[in-house]
Each structure stands twice: as C-alpha cells, then as structure tokens.
Amino acid sequence: MDFNRIISHLFFFPWAMRRALSAADLRELGNAIQASEASHRGELRFAVEGALDVGQLWSGMTARERAIDLFSSLRIWDTAENNGVLIYLLLADRQVEIIADRGIHQKTGPEVWAAICSSMQKSFQRGDFRGGLLDGLRDVSAILDRDYPADGKNPDELPNEPVVLR
C-alpha cells in the first residue's frame, strides 16, 4: 500500500479540481467532443475524477481499473459499432487512461493508446490539463476519423458532456 498515494487522494480538495479544469475548460472539451464526432462514427466520452474513495484506495485500485469500471457504468460499450472511447483523468494521481471498445481497439492496439496517454501526461506535468486533454482528444479523433469515417448516418449515441466525479 502506497502511503503517499493515500494521502494525496484523501487530501484532494474540490478547489484543486476547479483549478486544474475550469467550468469553461469542461465546456470547451464537451464542444470539442461534439465537433469531433461530426467527422467520424466513433463515440467519445471524457471523465475526470479528483480522487478515489477510501475503499477504492484500500483495495489498491489503479487508474486503469477505475477507467474500466467507468467504461462499463457509463455504458460506453453500448454503441452499434463497438467504437466507443473513454478518456479518463484521475487528478490525484495525474494519470490518464484511454479505454477503447473492442471494435476500435482491434484496429488500433494498446501501443497507440499508451502513446497518446504519454503525450497527454507530459502536458499534465507542466500543469496544462486543458491543452493535454484537447491534444489527446484530437489524436483519438484522428484514429476514429481513419477507422470510422462519417458516412452520413452518424447517430450521437452517447452524451458529449464531460463527466466530473469527486
């Protein structure tokens, strides 16, 4: 059990979330998702969480495991072409994870998602959460543009607004 990690989560305050991503930043991300989805048939979701709760920390839950839980609970898997993608940011750990549904994941593979996450984390280390997320969103969109180009029948199957958790 990582004592420093537990402390950083227990003492992550709501103002730190607002400092990292303002309401205007979140609106901009939602608008960017909506604009992106006009050019492909994929479905994007963004979720940000300040910190994990005590039970999650005690069990040793990783950012990846939490992202997989959210992928399921937000029903990102529930798209006609299995082409939903979640970008999840856990602020207390400064970790980002991308979880892609099986349709797009089979075409892309884990290395591509890892490279996008790595690039985003470099921006986060500089304190540029907005820029890192917009860049990551652009990179994910390019993959969806390539593998799921718009065909005129592009239903908006999932909400575009960012999900903000504790």
Side-chain angles (χ1 to χ4, degrees):
M1 185 158 304
D2 183 350
F3 184 70
N4 289 331
R5 182 174 189 239
I6 291 171
I7 294 298
S8 70
H9 282 258
L10 292 178
F11 290 100
F12 189 90
F13 298 108
W15 58 263
M17 171 94 72
R18 291 187 300 273
R19 189 170 147 213
L21 290 168
S22 69
D25 294 338
L26 293 170
R27 277 191 304 278
E28 184 177 5
L29 285 163
N31 291 337
I33 289 170
Q34 183 176 8
S36 165
E37 289 181 356
S39 67
H40 56 73
R41 297 185 323 273
E43 288 294 323
L44 289 163
R45 292 293 323 254
F46 168 66
V48 59
E49 188 161 29
L52 299 177
D53 66 33
V54 174
Q56 293 165 325
L57 289 170
W58 187 258
S59 71
M61 179 175 272
T62 65
R64 179 118 188 120
E65 291 167 336
R66 179 63 174 146
I68 291 168
D69 283 352
L70 288 172
F71 186 89
S72 176
S73 66
L74 294 173
R75 299 181 59 98
I76 298 168
W77 52 267
D78 195 16
T79 59
E81 295 186 67
N82 298 313
N83 57 1
V85 177
L86 171 66
I87 299 173
Y88 170 71
L89 173 60
L90 180 54
L91 284 169
D93 287 348
R94 291 185 177 235
Q95 289 287 316
V96 65
E97 293 289 340
I98 297 175
I99 307 295
D101 205 346
R102 62 189 172 273
I104 187 66
H105 185 72
Q106 289 173 350
K107 294 179 179 189
T108 303
E111 304 81 20
V112 172
W113 306 124
I116 295 171
C117 287
S118 177
S119 177
M120 289 170 45
Q121 285 188 223
K122 289 176 185 169
S123 294
F124 301 161
Q125 289 169 350
R126 295 188 308 270
D128 184 12
F129 291 96
R130 179 191 154 277
L133 289 166
L134 288 170
D135 289 346
L137 178 61
R138 182 197 65 235
D139 294 343
V140 171
S141 294
I143 293 166
L144 292 169
D145 287 344
R146 179 193 71 209
D147 293 335
Y148 291 93
D151 63 1
K153 298 177 284 183
N154 187 12
D156 196 6
E157 298 177 84
L158 299 173
N160 299 322
E161 298 79 25
V163 176
V164 180
L165 305 159
R166 177 189 180 277

